[in-house]
Amino acid sequence: QVQLVESGGGLVQAGGSLRLSCAASGRTFRSYAMGWFRQAPGKEREFVAAISQIGGVTYGPDSVKGRFTISRDNAKNTVYLQMNSLKPEDTAVYYCAAAITLATVMGNESNYWGQGTQVTVSS
């Protein structure tokens, strides 16, 4: 069982930065691939980024490539999403997810999800 708690969301002006954190419970964090998703009002949940157990990364939409960076610190049981050059269209609730395989994370089929953290980017 893994419990995930996101933090770091908030209100920021366009062009600003935020760093989201997702803290995981348990001593098996390093066994899980981790990912970030987002859901804007009226839209389906969208894959943003994922990181494997050994640090391999992949990103979802072209719109985040070069602006967002996913990383993990296994000693702190935490995965991060650094978001730079934020745009109003990045406004969404951001969710952390965990699964045994990277493919499961990327396929939106993770076993474990956090409660989400709101990111609002003003123009």
Side-chain angles (χ1 to χ4, degrees), residues 5-30:
V5 179
E6 300 98 334
S7 61
L11 174 64
V12 64
Q13 288 188 331
S17 297
L18 284 173
R19 188 177 80 157
L20 305 184
S21 299
C22 172
S25 65
R27 293 180 287 181
T28 59
F29 175 76
R30 63 180 65 246

Side-chain angles (χ1 to χ4, degrees), residues 18-68:
L18 284 173
R19 188 177 80 157
L20 305 184
S21 299
C22 172
S25 65
R27 293 180 287 181
T28 59
F29 175 76
R30 63 180 65 246
S31 300
Y32 289 88
M34 303 295 296
W36 287 96
F37 288 75
R38 66 186 181 185
Q39 188 167 20
K43 295 187 177 181
E44 294 195 354
R45 189 161 59 192
E46 174 185 45
F47 167 69
V48 174
I51 186 166
S52 72
Q53 290 86 336
I54 59 173
V57 300
T58 186
Y59 296 93
D62 288 341
S63 61
V64 308
K65 293 176 182 177
R67 298 190 299 122
F68 290 11

Side-chain angles (χ1 to χ4, degrees), residues 96-109:
C96 176
I100 293 298
T101 71
L102 191 63
T104 303
V105 172
M106 295 173 60
N108 200 8
E109 297 176 340

Side-chain angles (χ1 to χ4, degrees), residues 86-97:
L86 283 162
K87 304 175 181 180
E89 50 264 44
D90 295 319
T91 295
V93 178
Y94 283 72
Y95 297 91
C96 176

